[in-house]
């Protein structure tokens, strides 16, 4: 195999791109300007006279405050449904997690609820969505006021035997069957 090389000209090659990188080396050197020594004389003391306060008049009229957009607190309604499908569509839905229903197919609604606050339609239809206001109802209320979990006390005649440590991270946990079912 033979490789031929030809010199690159600025018009055809990339060598013209390198010229601007080193242009600063060809610039003439300018000597730095000398710095004058600081005068050891003390700075003059400025005495200000007290003047009565005057109210300043703004030049432009004040700008009206921009009204904030009202937060949308409406519910997002979803339906839990039952749809009868063929075995082929059932396998697709199981694999992908979704499927396409045929046109005109009847769907039986099991439950209608808000996707945000998870409250049923008949309970929440006239109110604002609680999840868009404050989501603490989904985590069991205010965590600072919630009672802590109690550790069960063992019976009087029980003896506690310490076990070994369980590796739950890394490749060792994967190989030992912690993060996957054992074979």
């Amino acid at each position: 195999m033979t490789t031929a090389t030809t010199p690159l000209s600025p018009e055809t090659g990339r060598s013209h791109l390198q010229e601007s990188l080193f242009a600063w080396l060809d610039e003439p050197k300018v000597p730095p300007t000398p710095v004058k020594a600081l005068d050891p004389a003390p700075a003059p003391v400025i005495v200000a006279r007290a003047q009565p306060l005057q109210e300043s008049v703004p030049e432009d009229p004040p700008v009206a405050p921009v009204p904030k957009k009202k937060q949308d607190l409406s519910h997002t309604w979803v339906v839990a449904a039952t749809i009868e499908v063929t075995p082929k569509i059932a396998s697709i839905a199981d694999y992908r997690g979704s499927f396409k229903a045929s046109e005109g197919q009847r769907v039986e609604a099991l439950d209608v609820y808000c996707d945000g606050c998870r409250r049923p339609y008949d309970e929440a239809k006239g109110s604002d969505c609680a999840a868009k206001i404050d989501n603490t109802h989904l985590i069991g209320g205010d965590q600072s006021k919630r009672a802590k979990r109690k550790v069960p006390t063992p019976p009087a005649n029980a003896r506690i035997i310490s076990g070994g440590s369980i590796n739950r991270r890394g490749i060792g946990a994967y190989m030992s069957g912690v993060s996957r079912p054992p074979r």
Side-chain angles (χ1 to χ4, degrees):
M1 177 176 203
T2 308
T3 306
T5 58
T6 58
L8 295 174
S9 65
E11 292 80 14
T12 60
R14 295 185 302 238
S15 62
H16 66 281
L17 296 176
Q18 297 296 321
E19 294 171 5
S20 63
L21 291 176
F22 302 104
W24 61 275
L25 292 173
D26 298 332
E27 293 177 4
K29 304 273 185 190
V30 178
T33 57
V35 178
K36 295 180 181 178
L38 295 176
D39 201 11
V45 178
I46 299 173
V47 179
R49 294 184 191 153
Q51 295 181 354
L53 292 175
Q54 295 178 357
E55 192 172 314
S56 63
V57 179
E59 296 175 9
D60 296 331
V63 179
V66 178
K68 290 185 178 180
K69 286 186 177 180
K70 191 173 182 181
Q71 185 181 4
D72 180 27
L73 299 176
S74 61
H75 293 278
T76 306
W77 299 112
V78 293
V79 176
T82 302
I83 302 173
E84 188 174 332
V85 294
T86 62
K88 180 181 177 184
I89 293 177
S91 67
I92 292 170
D94 182 48
Y95 179 73
R96 291 189 179 160
S98 65
F99 67 96
K100 292 184 179 181
S102 60
E103 185 179 344
Q105 185 176 12
R106 183 160 179 83
V107 178
E108 181 182 343
L110 299 175
D111 194 13
V112 179
Y113 60 94
C114 176
D115 192 35
C117 64
R118 305 282 189 209
R119 292 180 9 207
Y121 177 78
D122 57 346
E123 180 185 316
K125 65 181 169 185
S127 63
D128 294 334
C129 182
K132 292 181 180 177
I133 298 169
D134 186 16
N135 222 5
T136 56
H137 71 286
L138 290 177
I139 57 172
D142 187 7
Q143 298 295 309
S144 63
K145 297 178 185 175
R146 206 167 138 191
K148 301 296 178 192
R149 292 190 178 105
K150 296 177 183 175
V151 179
T153 57
N157 58 356
R159 188 171 55 138
I160 298 175
I161 302 170
S162 63
S165 63
I166 299 172
N167 183 11
R168 291 187 171 92
R169 291 186 176 87
I171 191 71
Y174 178 77
M175 298 305 288
S176 64
V178 173
S179 61
R180 63 173 178 79
R183 292 184 179 225

